[in-house]
Amino acid sequence: MYLKRPAGGLAFCLFYLASCFTNKYVLSVLKFTYPTLFQGWQTLVGGLLLHISWKLGWVEISLCSRSEILSWLPASVLFVGIIYAGSRALSRLPIPVFLAIQNAAEVINCGFQKFVQKETSHLKVCSVLFLLVAAVCLPLFDTQFDPNGYFWALIHLICVGAYKVFHKLWKPSSFSELDQQYINYVFSVVLLASASHPAGDLFSALDFPFLYFYRFHSSCCASGLLGFLLMLHTVKLRSSTTSGQYAAWSFLAKMFLTSVLLPPYLARKGVYHGRQLIETTSTPAEMKNVCKRGGMVLIIAQET
C-alpha cells in the first residue's frame, strides 16, 4: 500500500516543495544566476552537514575501497551536470515547465530497460511516451519561449537519465546511497569551485545587487539546509519503501507543486498573450474586436 506509514513520504514532499520554492526564489526573484557558486554553496553545505552527521554517528558512511570510489566518479560528473544544468534551466523556466521536462528523463531509463535489460512492460512504455510527448509539445506552444532555458533543461534531462542508468549498472554491495552522495558532494565542491573563475561567476557575483542583503543570505542558507534534508529524506524513503512506492511519493510531490503553481502560470501566460494581441492592434475598432474574441483575459490585459 503506497500510503502506508505516510510520515516519511509526507516529510519528503514537504522538503521537496520547500526546496523547489527556495531555489526558484534565489534564481528567478533575486536573480542570483551564478550556478557554479550557488550549486557549489549547496553542495558544500550538504557535504559539511553529512560529514558532521557521520562523525556524530547519526548516519553511517563507509568509504572502503579507493577503486570503488574512482569507479563512481563518472556518476559524480553526471551529478554535477544535473545540478548545474538544472540551476541554469530553473532560473529561466517556470517550475511546472521545468518539472514536465525533468519527468521525460524517465525515457532514457525506460529505453535502457526495454532494449538492454528487456524488463519494461508495455504499460510503462506507453506512460513514458506520454511524458515525452508532453515535454516535446511544451516549447512548441510556449508563447514566452526561452531557447537557453530549454537547452539547459534538455542537458539536465540527459544527465538525469544517464545518472539513473549508471546507477542501475553500478551496484557494489559495500556502497550505500549515502556513500554515493558523500562522494558526489565532495567532487561537486571541488569541480564547481575550480570552474567558478573560468566561468566568470566568481568576479561577476561581486556586482550582484543583493550581495549584502539578509534575505539573500537567509535564502542561500535555507537552500543549502533544505537540499540536505531533502537528500536525507529521499535516501530514507528509498530504503524503507519499494521503487513503486517511492515513485508514487515523488509523483505526489510533483503533482502538488504543479497544482499550486500551474494556475498562476497559465494566468500570466494568458495576460501576456492578451497584451501581445492588444499591442498589435492599431485602431479602437480592432481592439474592440480582439477583446470580443479573447474574452475576459484580454480585457484584464487591457486594464493592466
Side-chain angles (χ1 to χ4, degrees), residues 42-56 59-64 68-69 72-73 75-76 79-80 163 167 170 175-190 228 231-232 235:
Q42 285 191 318
T43 52
L44 175 63
V45 172
L48 287 175
L49 291 176
L50 186 57
H51 186 79
I52 292 172
S53 301
W54 174 29
K55 292 303 180 182
L56 292 176
V59 298
E60 213 173 298
I61 297 177
S62 55
L63 303 177
C64 302
E68 288 183 349
I69 294 175
W72 179 253
L73 289 185
S76 296
F79 177 79
V80 174
Y163 187 89
H167 193 271
W170 192 94
F175 255 34
S176 67
E177 282 201 60
L178 286 178
D179 297 332
Q180 297 166 8
Q181 196 60 43
Y182 188 80
I183 298 172
N184 289 344
Y185 279 148
V186 174
F187 182 84
S188 300
V189 171
V190 173
F228 169 74
M231 180 277 300
L232 213 57
V235 172

Side-chain angles (χ1 to χ4, degrees), residues 8 18 39 46 70 122 198 235 264 284 302:
Q39 295 304 323
L70 292 176
H122 294 295
V235 172
Q302 183 181 7

Side-chain angles (χ1 to χ4, degrees), residues 30-45:
L30 299 181
K31 297 189 182 300
F32 188 74
T33 53
Y34 309 102
T36 57
L37 299 180
F38 184 52
Q39 295 304 323
W41 162 257
Q42 285 191 318
T43 52
L44 175 63
V45 172

Side-chain angles (χ1 to χ4, degrees), residues 100-247:
I101 298 175
Q102 185 187 64
N103 288 338
E106 191 60 31
V107 173
I108 299 175
N109 186 34
C110 182
F112 173 77
Q113 291 178 334
K114 177 68 175 178
F115 298 107
V116 178
Q117 296 182 328
K118 311 293 184 181
E119 295 177 353
T120 304
S121 65
H122 294 295
L123 180 61
K124 185 174 182 179
V125 172
C126 292
S127 62
V128 168
L129 288 177
F130 178 78
L131 294 175
L132 179 62
V133 170
V136 170
C137 289
L138 275 174
L140 300 178
F141 296 96
D142 191 351
T143 56
Q144 299 176 357
F145 177 75
D146 187 333
N148 288 329
Y150 280 100
F151 169 77
W152 286 109
L154 177 62
I155 300 299
H156 175 75
L157 180 156
I158 294 171
C159 290
V160 170
Y163 187 89
K164 289 182 178 181
V165 171
F166 187 90
H167 193 271
K168 285 183 177 295
L169 293 174
W170 192 94
K171 285 185 177 180
S173 58
S174 60
F175 255 34
S176 67
E177 282 201 60
L178 286 178
D179 297 332
Q180 297 166 8
Q181 196 60 43
Y182 188 80
I183 298 172
N184 289 344
Y185 279 148
V186 174
F187 182 84
S188 300
V189 171
V190 173
L191 185 60
L192 292 171
S194 304
S196 61
H197 183 266
D201 291 351
L202 187 61
F203 293 108
S204 298
L206 297 176
D207 298 325
F208 180 62
F210 301 108
L211 187 60
Y212 301 104
F213 282 60
Y214 78 93
R215 57 177 172 170
F216 169 66
H217 299 157
S218 59
S219 298
C220 286
C221 291
S223 69
L225 179 60
L226 289 170
F228 169 74
L229 293 174
L230 175 61
M231 180 277 300
L232 213 57
H233 281 81
T234 300
V235 172
K236 183 178 179 181
L237 187 63
R238 280 176 176 167
S239 63
S240 61
T241 60
T242 64
S243 59
Q245 290 171 338
Y246 171 76

